[in-house]
Amino acid sequence: MNASAPHAHLMQPQLTPRPLPAEMLEALKARFGAQRCSTALAVREQHGRDESVFDVPPPEVVVYAESSEEVAFVVALAQRHRVPVIPYGAGSSLEGHLLAVQGGVSLDLSRMNKILRVNAEDLTVTVQAGVTRNQLNAEIRHQGLFFPIDPGADASLGGMAATRASGTNAVRYGTMRENVLALAVVTPQGELIQTGTRARKSSAGYDLSRLYIGSEGTLGVICELTLKLYPLPEAISAAVCFFPSIDAAVQATIQIIQIGVPIARCELLDANAVRAVNAHDRLGLREAPMLLMEFHGSEAGVAEQAGTVQEVAREFGGEDFDWATTPEARTKLWTARHHAYLSGLQMRPGCRAVTTDTCVPISRLAESINESVREVQEAGLPYFIVGHVGDGNFHLAYLIDPNVPAERETAERLSAQMVQRALRLEGTCTGEHGVGLHKQGFLLDEAGEGAVEVMRSLKRALDPHNIMNPGKIFTL
């Protein structure tokens, strides 16, 4: 890492469209028909826009696959014609992952939404890539099981694996990296391969599953996943607590983690975020920095955890503890938390958000957040903060007028400063959003030229014609 000489932040992606031959388009139409192979502008634009600030021309065609074999057909055809393929799940990415910077095919996997096999006795499930986390949890809840990875949006599980997603439960249950046992992947050559098994561990050869998790669609298309499941806790309790400052809330969080409380969720909302969810969800919460926490375990264990946390919070000025012990009350709070991003956008109608997430060692979290807040307040941009602060990860959204270039430039400058600070504190440029288009320069700062060149070497070896989601993570 060379934090003293950061690489240029990518302000706008380089567009190098590759033609889609008529022969390939005809082959796609013949296989999928007009209902599942669309060149309609409205459909293409839907698949050519995510939650990032980039404006990029849409893909040339959208294909809806319904099986791994159909994915393999599309990829093999694209390989033959050297045409880009961009896997598409729910379209909820934030860093430009699904944008067609080189044109090509948007391969929509949302119709691959079957839960293939639940092995309750082994706490595993196998699903198609288009299954969403809410769909999975609704299906397995009656068996007393749940899948804990919760990035907020109702993302597809294939997309969550591709971006190595995590979210509100990561402090206790880990990320997608720790919860995927096996994958079925279509390689850039159009071959369907299996990585891993349902066994909880293995030392058999290279760990290919981990190679594809976090690859952002640049090495292949994830079609099926085998995931770990967990028993629904005997008792669940959630609480909100308000603090006199962000620093006090973060210091309380650090203390909670350092003394070993096995808290399941520990989310920070700053006063701006609380104000936004109040307006959106009509909650009436006190508009001050807030921790939203959840405890899982036995009745006695949850009570003990909650009591310890309440004592720690009071040491840092925490007050107005409000407990939500019924499913309805908890759902109301967590729904509001998941709406925080969209609620925040409504604070400034017509705005776009430049959203940055970083993750640092928990002991450095207060420093990272405090400096970021000071900088954005001095700059005068509207903003809000939400964070999975239990594992040192927070998100800062700068709300900009898309018609005022100076605001975009200010937001990008603040974003760069925030990331460089995280790197100086021995953290990462992205805790869960991924690299996509937006953080390629930051990846170089974090990993160094040598490590990124190893990544490029893997990409060239597995995808020599660069058809899989080209232009993302790094440039070749």
Side-chain angles (χ1 to χ4, degrees), residues 79-370:
Q79 172 80 353
R80 189 154 62 247
H81 293 281
R82 310 291 191 259
V83 169
V85 175
I86 305 107
Y88 184 98
S92 57
S93 60
L94 289 160
E95 302 291 356
H97 295 98
L98 57 83
L99 302 183
V101 293
Q102 296 188 23
V105 180
S106 178
L107 183 55
D108 190 316
L109 307 182
S110 62
R111 299 185 186 184
M112 292 174 59
N113 58 0
K114 295 183 178 64
I115 297 172
L116 301 173
R117 181 181 180 189
V118 179
N119 294 97
E121 65 278 13
D122 294 321
L123 298 177
T124 67
V125 64
T126 300
V127 300
Q128 289 185 309
V131 172
T132 67
R133 64 176 187 88
N134 283 340
Q135 177 191 349
L136 174 60
N137 278 322
E139 177 72 21
I140 62 178
R141 188 176 304 277
H142 71 282
Q143 298 185 58
L145 302 171
F146 82 117
F147 181 68
I149 310 305
D150 176 9
D154 190 20
S156 68
L157 293 164
M160 288 168 59
T163 54
R164 203 185 303 143
S166 52
T168 59
N169 278 314
V171 63
R172 178 158 182 171
Y173 297 98
T175 72
M176 287 298 284
R177 181 182 65 188
E178 291 79 40
N179 286 283
V180 175
L181 292 169
L183 298 170
V185 179
V186 170
T187 71
Q189 291 69 40
E191 180 183 359
L192 182 64
I193 65 168
Q194 303 290 323
T195 75
T197 70
R198 287 202 305 115
R200 286 282 167 145
K201 61 182 182 179
S202 171
S203 58
Y206 293 172
D207 191 344
L208 295 182
S209 296
R210 300 302 170 276
L211 178 63
Y212 288 107
I213 296 168
S215 64
E216 300 182 14
T218 63
L219 299 178
V221 183
I222 295 171
C223 294
E224 294 178 9
L225 309 89
T226 298
L227 306 168
K228 295 179 184 178
L229 300 178
Y230 296 80
L232 281 168
E234 173 191 333
I236 301 174
S237 183
V240 294
C241 181
F242 299 90
F243 290 83
S245 66
I246 290 179
D247 184 66
V250 174
Q251 294 292 352
T253 301
I254 293 171
Q255 184 73 13
I256 289 164
I257 300 303
Q258 288 179 340
I259 65 175
V261 176
I263 193 167
R265 291 168 158 176
C266 188
E267 297 288 296
L268 170 71
L269 283 77
D270 75 342
N272 293 333
V274 175
R275 190 174 304 117
V277 298
N278 272 345
H280 186 276
D281 289 73
R282 299 173 183 160
L283 289 182
L285 296 167
R286 176 176 164 186
E287 292 180 358
M290 180 184 87
L291 289 182
L292 172 55
M293 298 166 283
E294 191 166 275
F295 309 92
H296 295 177
S298 66
E299 294 282 358
V302 163
E304 182 181 2
Q305 293 173 43
T308 302
V309 166
Q310 196 160 355
E311 288 179 18
V312 171
R314 286 197 183 111
E315 291 178 20
F316 294 93
E319 56 186 13
D320 294 349
F321 255 85
D322 187 10
W323 295 94
T325 54
T326 67
E328 295 77 15
R330 291 196 307 272
T331 297
K332 187 175 182 180
L333 283 175
W334 286 109
T335 299
R337 165 60 185 91
H338 291 329
H339 288 167
Y341 177 74
L342 294 177
S343 302
L345 292 179
Q346 293 180 11
M347 293 167 60
R348 190 178 187 188
C351 74
R352 298 281 288 272
V354 175
T355 307
T356 294
D357 84 309
T358 60
C359 189
V360 297
I362 189 73
S363 63
R364 313 305 298 271
L365 180 62
E367 181 180 351
S368 185
I369 292 181
N370 289 339

Side-chain angles (χ1 to χ4, degrees), residues 450-465:
V452 173
E453 184 54 36
V454 171
M455 298 180 201
R456 289 193 184 103
S457 297
L458 289 167
K459 168 74 169 173
R460 293 188 192 105
L462 297 178
D463 183 17
H465 300 298

